[in-house]
Amino acid sequence: MFIKRYLHDILIAVEAIIANRLKSILTALGIIFGVAAVISMMAIGNGAEQEILEQIKLVGVNNIVITPSTYSLSDGAGGDGNGQPTAKKFSKGLTLLDVEAIKKIVPTVERISPVISFNYSALLNGISRPVVLEGIDNHYFDLFNMQLAEGNRFNSTQVEKGLPVCVIGNNIKEQFFRQQDPIGKYIKCGQIWLKITGVIERRDFTASASDELGISSSDNKIFIPVQTMLLRFKNRSLIRADEVLSANKNANGNGMVVIYGGPEQTEEPVDTDDNLNQLDKIVVQIKETEQLSSSATLIKRMLLRRHSDLYDFEVTIPELLLKQQQKTKKIFNIVLGVIAGISLVVGGIGIMNIMLASVLERIREIGVRQALGAKQKDIIAQFLSESTLISLTGGIIGIILGVVLSQIITAMFDIKTIVSAFSIFIAFGVSVGVGIIFGYLPAKRAAANDPVVSLRS
């Protein structure tokens, strides 16, 4: 009996909404756009957070990246930490000796790998493709969470003796070994034939990922042991005759070296690689996140001492930078969510205003119902049901619009969005709550009408 009675009140509310379709739609617009704004803003926030988490996975957990300074070795002096050159000091730059020193001295180190990078051309069966050749340690794969799709990493003998072996990226396999198993086969890089021992699993690489955070795609790379790079390809720490002669190229001014010592002068092109460091990067993994800052400080002080107090290197903690970005984005997303939530409140105020006006228009209807035996709680149930149904319908439409809007944002602006079930639940619940809260005052006012006065009017 109880359910049947209030179901009748709800049916009357539905009839009133249908009879005034245009007014009901206009009333629901505030809720529709408010819910759509909440869904889309939360989707943008979720997408940004997911992107940060993916980047943290790409840079590796608890990694510290040490790179050569861009100004130190090329000008032959270095810096004093304030951007001022320091004369009469010499540093060899980043070398394998620095790697061994960090491994030996810093107690919080979990893993460490040197990185040497050069651009080469890979050649096989008449097909040539530009690739990045990287000399690394086996720990490199763990540092950056890189899994092998096929084959194995380098064994200890290959690493120690610098044997001509390699692990290739997924793109290298697709370009040279599309229809065959590459494991055990050879590929020529530069002038060296390398035996393939493994293939890196393809990884999604976001456009916003930055090399300065230690993030780079592995799909177009060929990885070899660092000793193989130094013994068989290039070791920048070795002084060659052409590099010594290149010291006077600035005086010549045309990018050529003038060679003296004979009856005639000849000119030869110089190597355009101005990086004189043996290593391009050192990646260090620390055991605990809490030890990152202190370990980075210790590494910096140790390298300064080893490099004659020259700031010819930079120490970066990608994870902390990314977490700072994540914190900033969370604050920004909260602000956006609050702004979107305000639009829901405005929509609720709109419902309340329309319902108050509706009460004044339907005084006779209220009086007739009261005269036929309807109690105050029946009138409250009728008008409260009407405002809640309007808000609920607006919420459902708003959810659909918010999901569509999120997809449009992704397609048009290349911004990653993720619509979560939680955001839909929150938006749906808030829309219902707005209908109840802002519909209660009009419903209460409608129930407070005197039936005699209502019928006379």
Side-chain angles (χ1 to χ4, degrees), residues 18 24 29 36 42 50 52 72 74 122 130 132 143 179 203 239 250 254 265 292 311 349 368 390 410 412 414 423 451:
I18 295 174
S24 300
L29 280 179
M42 292 185 73
Q50 182 64 32
I52 292 291
S72 61
S74 59
V132 177
L143 288 168
Q179 303 297 331
R203 309 173 78 192
I239 300 176
N250 290 333
N254 58 5
Q265 295 181 1
L292 275 171
Y311 282 86
I349 294 173
V368 169
I390 291 173
T410 300
M412 292 187 63
D414 196 26
S423 63

Side-chain angles (χ1 to χ4, degrees), residues 128-143:
S128 178
R129 295 287 186 273
V131 298
V132 177
L133 185 69
E134 286 203 345
I136 60 168
D137 186 271
N138 260 334
H139 290 307
Y140 183 89
F141 302 110
D142 295 319
L143 288 168

Side-chain angles (χ1 to χ4, degrees), residues 36-58:
V38 170
I39 294 290
S40 57
M41 289 302 101
M42 292 185 73
I44 292 174
N46 292 335
E49 186 172 357
Q50 182 64 32
E51 196 171 57
I52 292 291
L53 293 175
E54 289 175 0
Q55 290 183 9
I56 290 176
K57 185 178 179 181
L58 284 172

Side-chain angles (χ1 to χ4, degrees), residues 126-350:
I127 302 174
S128 178
R129 295 287 186 273
V131 298
V132 177
L133 185 69
E134 286 203 345
I136 60 168
D137 186 271
N138 260 334
H139 290 307
Y140 183 89
F141 302 110
D142 295 319
L143 288 168
F144 292 99
N145 301 300
M146 297 166 65
Q147 304 298 322
L148 294 187
E150 305 175 44
N152 300 294
R153 303 179 183 181
F154 314 122
N155 59 43
S156 57
T157 302
Q158 293 167 342
V159 171
E160 292 171 4
K161 295 185 177 181
L163 298 182
V165 293
C166 69
V167 173
I168 62 175
N170 191 270
N171 285 351
I172 308 296
K173 177 192 173 184
E174 294 297 325
Q175 291 171 353
F176 293 98
F177 304 97
R178 187 171 300 176
Q179 303 297 331
Q180 52 186 320
D181 182 6
I183 305 302
K185 294 184 171 56
Y186 288 82
I187 186 170
K188 189 177 183 181
C189 191
Q191 301 300 318
I192 309 296
W193 285 95
L194 300 171
K195 183 179 180 180
I196 299 172
T197 65
V199 179
I200 299 292
E201 191 176 73
R202 178 175 289 278
R203 309 173 78 192
D204 293 329
F205 181 66
T206 57
S208 61
S210 170
D211 281 335
E212 68 185 25
L213 293 176
I215 309 173
S216 59
S217 175
S218 60
D219 293 335
N220 202 46
K221 290 183 178 180
I222 296 179
F223 299 96
I224 62 175
V226 67
Q227 288 297 335
T228 303
M229 176 71 83
L230 297 176
L231 293 174
R232 301 177 185 272
F233 287 89
K234 186 175 182 180
N235 186 351
R236 284 179 297 225
S237 67
L238 298 180
I239 300 176
R240 304 198 316 254
D242 59 339
E243 291 173 342
V244 174
L245 292 170
S246 69
N248 69 342
K249 71 175 181 179
N250 290 333
N252 192 34
N254 58 5
M256 310 296 287
V257 177
V258 180
I259 301 178
Y260 299 94
E264 297 182 358
Q265 295 181 1
T266 59
E267 294 186 345
E268 296 179 355
V270 299
D271 189 355
T272 57
D273 183 9
D274 60 354
N275 181 11
L276 303 181
N277 293 266
Q278 184 182 43
L279 307 180
D280 291 286
K281 187 187 300 181
I282 300 174
V283 185
V284 185
Q285 187 176 72
I286 305 303
K287 296 176 183 178
E288 301 292 339
T289 304
E290 294 77 14
Q291 300 170 335
L292 275 171
S293 296
S294 58
S295 299
T297 302
L298 177 58
I299 290 172
K300 182 178 179 180
R301 290 178 179 175
M302 187 198 72
L303 289 178
L304 273 175
R305 188 172 300 174
R306 291 181 54 84
H307 292 210
S308 303
D309 289 330
L310 294 178
Y311 282 86
D312 58 353
F313 60 90
E314 295 179 0
V315 179
T316 307
I317 308 176
E319 186 180 0
L320 294 186
L321 293 177
L322 289 170
K323 285 185 175 179
Q324 182 61 39
Q325 291 180 18
Q326 188 178 28
K327 183 178 179 181
T328 303
K329 286 187 176 181
K330 280 185 176 179
I331 295 173
F332 182 66
N333 292 333
I334 290 173
V335 173
L336 290 179
V338 169
I339 294 172
I342 290 173
S343 64
L344 275 176
V345 175
V346 172
I349 294 173

